[in-house]
Amino acid sequence: MLNTTAWNRLRYTFYAPFYDVVAARAFRRPRRIALGQVDWEPGMRVLLVGAGTGLDLPFLPQNIELHATDIAPAMVKRTIKRAEALSRDVECGVMDAEALSYPEEHFDVVVMHLILAVMPDPRQGLAEAHRVLKTGGQLCVMDKFQPDAQPAGPGRRFLNLLTSALATDITRQAQPLLTDAGFQIRHDEPVLMNGLFRAVLAAKPTTSNR
């Protein structure tokens, strides 16, 4: 299957100039809902993983310490430009979501919007999010998911060979991925296309459930 870090970097470099045309308006409400689930406090240290062109920035509080990463330098450049236009202080960097270069227990909130269905190994990506989150920290996820109680059938898995190479995986399930990574789901809300896209708020518990 053509779903590797190198391929993602290449294709999102190509998509970068057109990404906002496709994603800005369509996902404005889902982003707002997902980020609205977070229990925000002043001074929180927040990480946007797979930040893309920075479309989450308008919906984030002003009084936080904000970091943003993406696998594609072209996307990071656009996040920097958006941050400047919004007068936001954001520490941006090129980074693989499956190998974050931050220390353990470093962030109060990790935001992963439209990335779990894209990365080659979402379990590793969630393991990294779990690692860099403080105990009690919050994970904000918005993405497309196969229903938790209905694994993908043969037809959907076959179609996924194409969609995962060009755009996104359509077979991943939120609850198994998050709970296996050690998170506790606090809120799960359908936000687009009759529940295909969901906003999920999870937490890193004080006692590991992995």
Side-chain angles (χ1 to χ4, degrees), residues 22 25 58 65 80:
V22 176
R25 183 178 179 86
E65 178 185 325
I80 293 171

Side-chain angles (χ1 to χ4, degrees), residues 56-78:
D56 288 314
L57 296 182
F59 310 112
L60 290 162
Q62 292 284 341
N63 54 357
I64 58 175
E65 178 185 325
L66 190 54
H67 300 251
T69 70
D70 199 275
I71 193 67
M75 289 290 196
V76 173
K77 289 179 181 178
R78 282 164 173 77

Side-chain angles (χ1 to χ4, degrees), residues 34-110:
L35 293 168
Q37 295 176 356
V38 177
D39 296 322
W40 296 107
E41 295 180 8
M44 279 181 158
R45 183 181 291 145
V46 179
L47 174 63
L48 305 181
V49 180
T53 62
L55 291 173
D56 288 314
L57 296 182
F59 310 112
L60 290 162
Q62 292 284 341
N63 54 357
I64 58 175
E65 178 185 325
L66 190 54
H67 300 251
T69 70
D70 199 275
I71 193 67
M75 289 290 196
V76 173
K77 289 179 181 178
R78 282 164 173 77
T79 295
I80 293 171
K81 288 181 180 179
R82 177 163 274 116
E84 291 173 348
L86 295 171
S87 299
R88 296 297 304 260
D89 185 11
V90 185
E91 184 71 28
C92 297
V94 177
M95 202 175 299
D96 184 352
E98 298 177 15
L100 298 173
S101 62
Y102 298 106
E104 295 183 5
E105 304 248 334
H106 193 62
F107 293 99
D108 299 289
V109 179
V110 172

Side-chain angles (χ1 to χ4, degrees), residues 34-35 37-38 109-113 138-142 200-202:
L35 293 168
Q37 295 176 356
V38 177
V109 179
V110 172
V111 178
M112 303 181 80
H113 285 177
Q138 301 169 82
L139 175 69
C140 179
V141 172
M142 187 273 290
V200 183
L201 181 67

Side-chain angles (χ1 to χ4, degrees), residues 52-200:
T53 62
L55 291 173
D56 288 314
L57 296 182
F59 310 112
L60 290 162
Q62 292 284 341
N63 54 357
I64 58 175
E65 178 185 325
L66 190 54
H67 300 251
T69 70
D70 199 275
I71 193 67
M75 289 290 196
V76 173
K77 289 179 181 178
R78 282 164 173 77
T79 295
I80 293 171
K81 288 181 180 179
R82 177 163 274 116
E84 291 173 348
L86 295 171
S87 299
R88 296 297 304 260
D89 185 11
V90 185
E91 184 71 28
C92 297
V94 177
M95 202 175 299
D96 184 352
E98 298 177 15
L100 298 173
S101 62
Y102 298 106
E104 295 183 5
E105 304 248 334
H106 193 62
F107 293 99
D108 299 289
V109 179
V110 172
V111 178
M112 303 181 80
H113 285 177
L114 303 175
I115 182 173
L116 287 179
V118 171
M119 63 174 60
D121 187 351
R123 289 175 175 80
Q124 178 59 30
L126 285 169
E128 280 292 273
H130 191 278
R131 181 183 66 80
V132 302
L133 262 180
K134 296 177 182 178
T135 299
Q138 301 169 82
L139 175 69
C140 179
V141 172
M142 187 273 290
D143 218 320
K144 66 186 72 57
F145 293 108
Q146 173 78 10
D148 295 327
Q150 181 185 338
R156 192 180 185 97
R157 291 197 300 271
F158 179 78
L159 180 61
N160 189 59
L161 297 175
L162 175 63
T163 63
S164 62
L166 297 179
T168 181
D169 195 295
I170 58 173
T171 66
R172 294 174 180 175
Q173 297 172 291
Q175 184 174 355
L177 282 171
L178 291 169
T179 55
D180 287 352
F183 291 100
Q184 292 179 345
I185 295 176
R186 290 183 175 175
H187 193 77
D188 186 347
E189 181 176 346
V191 291
L192 192 65
M193 295 180 67
N194 294 320
L196 174 63
F197 288 85
R198 289 153 58 188
V200 183

